[in-house]
Amino acid sequence: MSDTANNPNRKSWLTVQPESDFPIQNIPFGVFLTRDDVITIGTRIGDTAIDLGALHQLGYFNEIPLTDDIFLQDTLNDFISDGKKTWRLVRNRIAEIFDIKNETLKNNEEHRKIVLFGLDEIEMQLPVQIGDYTDFYSSKEHATNVGTMFRDPDNALLPNWLHIPVGYHGRSSSIVPSGIPIHRPKGQTMPAGATEPVFGPSKLVDFELEMAFITTDANQLGEPIPIEEAEDYIFGMVLFNDWSARDIQKWEYVPLGPFLAKNFASSVSPWIVTLDALEPFRVEGPKQDPQPLPYLIHEGKKSFDINLQVDVTPENGEPLTVTNSNFKHMYWNMAQQLTHHTINGCKVNSGDMMGSGTISGPTPDSYGSMLELSWRGEKPIKMKDGTERKFINDGDTVTMRGYCKNDNVRIGFGEVSNKLLPPYNPNNPKKVKK
């Protein structure tokens, strides 16, 4: 079935600014609370949010096999479970409805009032119920930088790194959407020169520039997913800030890896951009040497040219762009990650989230964490107000953006932006919206 939504010549009767992340060729999916306090599944074109639940009830998805309540839920999980054929049918139909040549909804003022919302009239929610979350470690530059800092510069990569997409199973309970503030975590650390650990707030809170992909129901327990089919089970992608407490991590990560240093918070952009929308931006990934084992060898372009940017904004200050990177730098691609994840028969469900791992490019201005940008704090970054940052301070807001662009169209992800608050104080708790 063809993907007509990607037609680069298509225009919408909704207003779309030239540099918008959300032209009619994007059609991402998300969940939002409306001005009437109703949670619905929706999409976005330009700066207009579209209530897909209302659109479905009004008959605009006739002849597409959808249950009556598919868009009247508070997560996308069931819709994602319907599979790639249904996702494509729905995207194509949305593109038709909002095409500048189609006047059916455009000329129906009553329906437009029900279906369309300004961005100031909605509140974005977490788009899926995340049952399981896996974080990979798939940027060769990032792994080399970290290995150089903390181990042997001549043997920065561990022996398995060039043979498997290294990952760990994380937690999903503290993954939040953009806009939710994050408290500085507490935990054990081992200060330099000390002989006993101490307990207290982390002093080295960091961001990690990542992307994540969302899966559909992919397999039965015991059934591997072959690499040729892996992308059929990937619904789409989001920006992902995998917050990290470096001092807690240093003390705890041997022998079993990250724990409290990672499970206090991760943040996602609220609109899921489908793999279909990203199709025009496929590129070759880095050359893999040595050649992976046969089950990880693939044909065709499996990487994507996604420009990524991170800003740090001090409280009451101006934002500073601290890194510009690109998803195409990832050594292990999503198809390889999902295939490796299931090669042992691990079951993957609708709404599962897989983080890419920190995305660092080949140059210092493309590193994906403060750990690398300030090189363990040895090279502080000067903010526009004259203050310096080795890591993230209380009151700082970290904002990540991502987009693809060619001669015909720009497809973006919006942003994931979250403020770091002081440690939680039970005597003076700040209410965090859900």
Side-chain angles (χ1 to χ4, degrees), residues 58 107-115:
L58 292 169
N107 292 340
N108 191 323
E109 185 175 354
E110 181 182 352
H111 284 189
R112 289 204 322 271
K113 287 180 179 178
I114 297 171
V115 169

Side-chain angles (χ1 to χ4, degrees), residues 1-6 27 29 64 79 83-96 232 235 274-277 279:
M1 178 183 51
S2 61
D3 185 357
T4 59
N6 281 8
I27 311 180
F29 292 90
I64 297 178
F79 174 64
K84 189 173 183 177
K85 180 180 179 180
T86 299
W87 312 335
R88 188 169 289 179
L89 285 169
V90 169
R91 278 189 76 245
N92 286 348
R93 180 64 59 82
I94 294 169
E96 292 168 10
D232 291 339
F235 175 64
T274 64
L275 241 56
D276 272 350
E279 189 66 30

Side-chain angles (χ1 to χ4, degrees), residues 29-31 41 70-71 73-83 87 126-132 214-217 235 272 349-353:
F29 292 90
V31 175
I41 289 172
I70 193 68
F71 296 127
Q73 304 182 38
D74 57 5
T75 74
L76 279 157
N77 293 57
D78 282 356
F79 174 64
I80 293 173
S81 289
D82 281 349
W87 312 335
L126 197 66
V128 291
Q129 181 178 346
I130 305 165
D132 284 294
I214 313 295
T215 66
T216 186
D217 302 293
F235 175 64
I272 303 176
N349 297 317
S350 175
D352 285 355
M353 179 175 288

Side-chain angles (χ1 to χ4, degrees), residues 115-132:
V115 169
L116 304 181
F117 295 83
L119 298 183
D120 59 349
E121 297 179 298
I122 65 169
E123 182 179 299
M124 298 303 299
Q125 310 292 303
L126 197 66
V128 291
Q129 181 178 346
I130 305 165
D132 284 294

